[in-house]
Amino acid sequence: MSKGREAAAGGGAAAVLLRYLREQNRPYSAQDAFGNLQREHGLGKAAVVKALEQLAQQGSVREKVYGKQKIYFAEQEQLPAASDAELRGLDGEIAERSAQLQALQQSCRHMEAARPVIGATFPELKDLNSSMTTPEITREIEALRKDCASYTEKLERIKSATNHVTPEEKEKVCREQQLYRREWRRRKRMATELLDAILEGYPKSKKQFFEEVGIETDEDHGVVMPANT
């Protein structure tokens, strides 16, 4: 493309952008303007950026920099002044929107105030709000199924084992345990009585006597006699 055609294209882009910014009368970045006008006018991004910078230098649009981004909007003083009828229309629209906003805010306040009353009147609603959702229930069921399958497999392994204890063997072990426990208790009582008799004439403490003789008790090793079954 020749320099003359590039200049003509640039001038056309500037005119399109200036008309667009004045009609919309709102700020746009170069990217936004390019996206909005590309399909209708076939403008390239480089042409849009160049045209906006040119319009800013000419004073036709204003340029504001926010960080790394530039924003462009029409120069307000060059826009036609609104008529009294247009201003009254805008005032009416503002009043209407303000009334709608107040109504919505009032409705929100009523809903917030009614929430405790609704919860007290309809306790099932509170239960529903605190209950699990369908996806949560589905995940919980799947986890329970896996646990059930694991326990079932463990139970089958136990059932199929060949080293089960018979009732007779269990009874024999219990009788032997009772015998050993009685003997343990008897011997401990005898040892305690004998040591108490010795300690009556021993000048030192019981702990010192045990250390000198080398006696170790059940308590020293954390041993507790099994309870009766």
Side-chain angles (χ1 to χ4, degrees):
M1 181 182 291
S2 65
K3 292 184 178 179
R5 294 178 63 184
E6 288 181 356
V16 170
L17 286 164
L18 180 59
R19 183 170 64 253
Y20 179 74
L21 292 177
R22 286 178 174 175
E23 290 175 352
Q24 300 299 319
N25 195 23
R26 52 165 296 181
Y28 288 96
S29 66
Q31 180 63 38
D32 292 336
F34 164 69
N36 295 339
L37 299 174
Q38 177 188 18
R39 179 175 299 181
E40 182 179 354
H41 298 279
L43 299 177
K45 184 174 180 179
V48 170
V49 172
K50 185 176 181 180
L52 288 172
E53 291 177 349
Q54 177 184 349
L55 290 171
Q57 292 175 357
Q58 294 173 353
S60 300
V61 301
R62 299 289 299 275
E63 177 187 271
K64 293 289 185 181
V65 179
Y66 296 96
K68 297 181 179 180
Q69 189 177 36
K70 294 181 179 180
I71 300 298
Y72 299 90
F73 55 92
E75 177 61 61
Q76 299 299 297
E77 294 181 357
Q78 297 180 6
L79 295 177
S83 63
D84 293 340
E86 290 175 335
L87 292 176
R88 286 193 297 271
L90 290 174
D91 289 339
E93 184 176 352
I94 292 173
E96 181 181 354
R97 298 300 176 118
S98 298
Q100 292 176 355
L101 176 60
Q102 291 179 358
L104 289 174
Q105 291 175 337
Q106 184 69 20
S107 177
C108 290
R109 286 193 291 269
H110 287 326
M111 293 176 66
E112 288 294 332
R115 181 179 296 178
V117 178
I118 293 175
T121 307
F122 303 100
E124 63 274 14
L125 180 61
K126 181 179 180 180
D127 295 337
L128 288 174
N129 290 332
S130 60
S131 61
M132 299 174 65
T133 63
T134 300
E136 291 173 343
I137 293 176
T138 302
R139 290 193 295 269
E140 184 69 16
I141 291 175
E142 186 63 25
L144 291 174
R145 284 176 176 170
K146 291 180 179 179
D147 291 343
C148 184
S150 176
Y151 293 140
T152 302
E153 180 183 357
K154 184 182 296 185
L155 179 61
E156 291 299 326
R157 289 199 304 268
I158 295 174
K159 288 182 178 180
S160 62
T162 58
N163 59 346
H164 292 299
V165 178
T166 64
E168 293 78 10
E169 291 174 330
K170 180 180 179 181
E171 180 65 23
K172 180 182 177 182
V173 171
C174 289
R175 287 197 302 268
E176 290 178 350
Q177 184 195 35
Q178 291 176 1
L179 175 62
Y180 297 147
R181 186 173 58 248
R182 286 197 300 270
E183 187 65 20
W184 182 358
R185 185 179 294 110
R186 186 181 69 83
R187 295 191 179 189
K188 185 173 184 178
R189 183 176 61 253
M190 292 174 56
T192 302
E193 293 175 352
L194 177 61
L195 291 172
D196 288 343
I198 295 174
L199 287 171
E200 288 181 0
Y202 187 71
K204 298 181 182 179
S205 66
K206 179 179 180 180
K207 180 178 179 182
Q208 290 174 322
F209 175 71
F210 281 11
E211 290 177 352
E212 290 179 0
V213 179
I215 297 176
E216 295 181 349
T217 65
D218 294 341
E219 291 74 17
D220 292 337
H221 295 276
V223 178
V224 179
M225 184 178 296
N228 293 329
T229 56

